Structure formats: structure tokens, C-alpha cells
Amino acid sequence: MRWDIFCQIVDNYGDAGVCWRLARSLSSLHGQDVRIFCDDLPTLNLLASGVDPKVKDRIELLPWEASYNNARHPVKAPNVVIEAFGCELPERYLAGLFIAAEKPIIINLEYLSAEPWITEFHGKASPQSHGIPKYFFFPGFQDEVGGLLLDPIALTGDLSAKDIPPSLQKDWANLRPGAKRISIFCYPGAPLAKWLEDLGSLNENFDIVLTHGIAQLLNLATGKSISLPNNIQLISIPFVSQDEYDWVLAQCDFNIVRGEDSFIRAQLAGKPFIWHIYPQDDRAHEIKLAAFLDLYLDAASQSLRLDTIAAMTWAMPSEWIGSLEAWNTHSQAWRAQLLEKQADGGLPARLLRFVA
Ligand code: TRH
């Protein structure tokens, strides 16, 4: 089938990250023809860079306007149109669909959630005055919903420590053998300086991999360059491609992640993590975090449960680090459970079955 994915970048990288991962899975795991129309092509290209041309060249990454300016458009009407995160389709593109011989199906791909209510709404029709069928599709953890975005890398776990991406070789050479590795990709507002100072009070070496922009966040928060004891080494890495960032997550002992896509990758890496959830004005994120923790910690002991909740709500590391080993074992079991529950192929495969 032919798929058109519409991606509007509201902020940050998650919108592009999810669309690219979906496009790639549909194309390379399921042989689908995919085009992405994006209002910020440079960001999308950055995430998708470094991918084997055999994979990348089969997916068309196009500017938003190409969806209605492209002369080939009327003869290449898609079978499925994805509105990622409910973005609105360009009117002129929609007008082209009205005159297409065969009408496509439109999918409103929603935000990921662990909340129970999504089981009621997943797959429901969203009738439109224009008459083209449209449905809600909710990614999630439960069996009855749209699943998780499994991609070829998650399935093979093919992220060997030896294959250091060229863009990271210089920084990776600074890592100290035996030091615990922590990567950080969070939003402004995390109490990072205090968190790192507390880590510095522990009797262990930590190498802290700061993703693009995090060092500036730290300096802004403290108003000066932060000074930390010698057991803490800060290593700033550049913004890398999505594959390279997945590799970083797999090489660290602990990851701080955020949003939606890195949150899932951290779980598939099978390592303990802090999810810095996207903050919402109405505090809806607190309910979302609690719903996830309910599922994630269902099989955990009482002490691991309390320590994980403390860590996820930014308690200082000294308060919960004693549970790290148990948390590590739990993370591996959680990864195995996720893969088992998504053995049907997860989101891309469920989307295909839904459309069929
Ligand atoms: O960037 P995010 O915070 O994205 C979002 C947006 O805020 C979005 O509006 C919101 O709806 C959503 O979160 C919930 O976090 P996320 O989802 O983890 O996306 C980041 C993407 O960037 C992910 O695909 C990984 C990728 N990435 C790289 O490719 N290279 C890098 O160096 C880093 C740090 C990330």
C-alpha cells in the first residue's frame, strides 16, 4: 500500500522522531511505500541521517507543500493517510483526495499513553463532513490498543558496543573504564545541578553523557559553569542521528529520557531510566506518569516500587541508588515482557491489520 504521513513539528524532536521510525518500520519491515510530508524537513533529515541508503532511499522525505504542489500527486493517491498527533491536513491536499478514484483511509495517530481510557477510544471512527473515513489510533502498552513502535533495531537488539558511531568516537574515548555511564536528555525544569551534586557525594565514578543542549541548560540553571567533584565527569555529545542516539541508550547503565520516542527506546534498551515526561499546563502529565508506573511496577517488590517512584519524581540519587541492581534486573524483565506482548509486530503491524 501507499502511505502518506503528515508531520508537523510542534516543538522539539518527538514528532519527527515518531514519524521517521514509523515510516522506516512500514517500509523496511512491511514493504510499504511511504512518503513523509514535514513542515521542518531539516530536522527530519537530521534524525534520519546516517541510515543505510538502501533503507532510506525507499522512503520519500518531502516538504509539507509538496503534498499539494507535486504534479505527480493526483496519480499517486495514497491508500492510507496518517495525521501524526492530529495535525491538520493541508486543504489543497484534502481537495485532491476528494477527486481520487479510490478514497484512502485517514488515521489520526494519537499520543502514546498508558492510561486505561485509551482502550475505549482506540480504533473509533471520527466521522467527517467530507465523508473520507477517519479513525483514531492510540499507541500504548495494553493488548487492546495500537501497540509500541518496534523498529528493526529494537527487534534485533543489534547495537554492539564495538560499533562506535564515527560522530561519537572522540567523546567516547574519554569514558573511564569502570565508571557508571548515565545519559541525560531532559526538559528545562529538571533539578539537574542538585541531582549531579548529589551523585558526586557517592563513592563511585560516574560518566555523564549530556545530549545536545543539556550542558547549556545546566549553565543557565546555575548561572555559571557547574563545578563537580572528580568522581563525576561530564561529556557533552552533539545532536546525533536517531540510530546513533539509540546506540548511546544501549551503551549506558542508566538513561534520563523524555517525550515519547526516547521513553520507549530506553525501555527497549532494558536499562533503568528516569522518564522526564512532557510537562502540561493542566498537570495531565502527572496522571500519565502514574498510569505508566502502575503498569511498569506491577511485578516489582515494595522497596523497588518506592525507589523507582522516588527516582522518577526527581528524588536525589542517594535516596534510591541502593535499588539500582534490582532495578536493572527489573528493566531486563520489563523489556522481555514488552517484546513478548508486542510479538505481533507492535504498532506498525497493528496499523496494517487495522487498515486491512
Ligand atoms: O524531543 P522530545 O521532547 O519530543 C516530543 C515533543 O516535545 C513533542 O511535541 C511531544 O509531543 C512529544 O515529545 C511527547 O522527545 P522524544 O519524543 O524522545 O523525541 C526525541 C527524538 O529525537 C527521538 O526520536 C530521539 C531523537 N534524538 C536524536 O535523533 N538524536 C539525539 O541526539 C537526541 C538527543 C535525540
Side-chain angles (χ1 to χ4, degrees), residues 51-259:
V51 169
D52 183 346
K54 283 207 287 299
V55 174
K56 193 169 172 201
D57 291 353
R58 287 171 47 199
I59 302 165
E60 288 183 79
L61 306 185
L62 299 164
W64 187 262
E65 300 74 29
S67 66
Y68 49 87
N69 286 340
N70 191 336
R72 287 177 303 151
H73 167 64
V75 285
K76 214 184 170 190
N79 303 101
V80 191
V81 179
I82 305 270
E83 297 176 344
F85 306 114
C87 69
E88 261 182 50
L89 299 178
E91 269 176 33
R92 284 167 64 189
Y93 173 83
L94 204 51
L97 297 185
F98 297 149
I99 52 166
E102 259 185 70
K103 301 281 174 284
I105 168 175
I106 303 178
I107 302 281
N108 176 355
L109 180 66
E110 276 289 346
Y111 290 96
L112 170 83
S113 177
E115 291 167 282
W117 63 263
I118 68 166
T119 54
E120 304 277 315
F121 288 81
H122 172 66
K124 287 276 186 293
S126 168
Q128 304 292 308
S129 55
H130 54 57
I132 301 176
K134 177 166 161 177
Y135 295 88
F136 291 106
F137 198 90
F138 280 86
F141 296 86
Q142 301 96 327
D143 294 337
E144 311 84 343
V145 297
L148 303 177
L149 245 179
L150 296 187
D151 59 1
I153 295 181
L155 291 174
T156 55
D158 200 7
L159 293 163
S160 158
K162 290 195 297 282
D163 302 333
I164 306 175
S167 59
L168 289 170
Q169 276 171 2
K170 205 168 121 264
D171 296 319
W172 230 247
N174 293 326
L175 294 173
R176 298 168 294 181
K180 274 217 168 60
R181 260 177 238 163
I182 300 180
S183 82
I184 304 188
F185 177 47
C186 61
Y187 295 114
L192 265 194
K194 216 167 123 214
W195 197 91
L196 290 170
E197 278 159 13
D198 183 81
L199 209 58
S201 70
L202 303 174
N203 191 17
E204 195 173 350
N205 287 337
F206 294 94
D207 284 341
I208 313 290
V209 179
L210 303 175
T211 57
H212 171 73
I214 301 298
Q216 287 85 332
L217 261 189
L218 256 178
N219 294 343
L220 272 181
T222 54
K224 55 182 165 42
S225 283
I226 180 170
S227 96
L228 292 162
N230 286 340
N231 65 330
I232 304 284
Q233 179 183 215
L234 301 182
I235 298 172
S236 284
I237 60 168
F239 191 89
V240 291
S241 72
Q242 196 177 57
D243 283 4
E244 291 168 340
Y245 178 62
D246 288 355
W247 183 87
V248 169
L249 293 177
Q251 307 314 318
C252 289
D253 302 294
F254 190 96
N255 296 297
I256 299 182
V257 290
R258 69 187 205 188

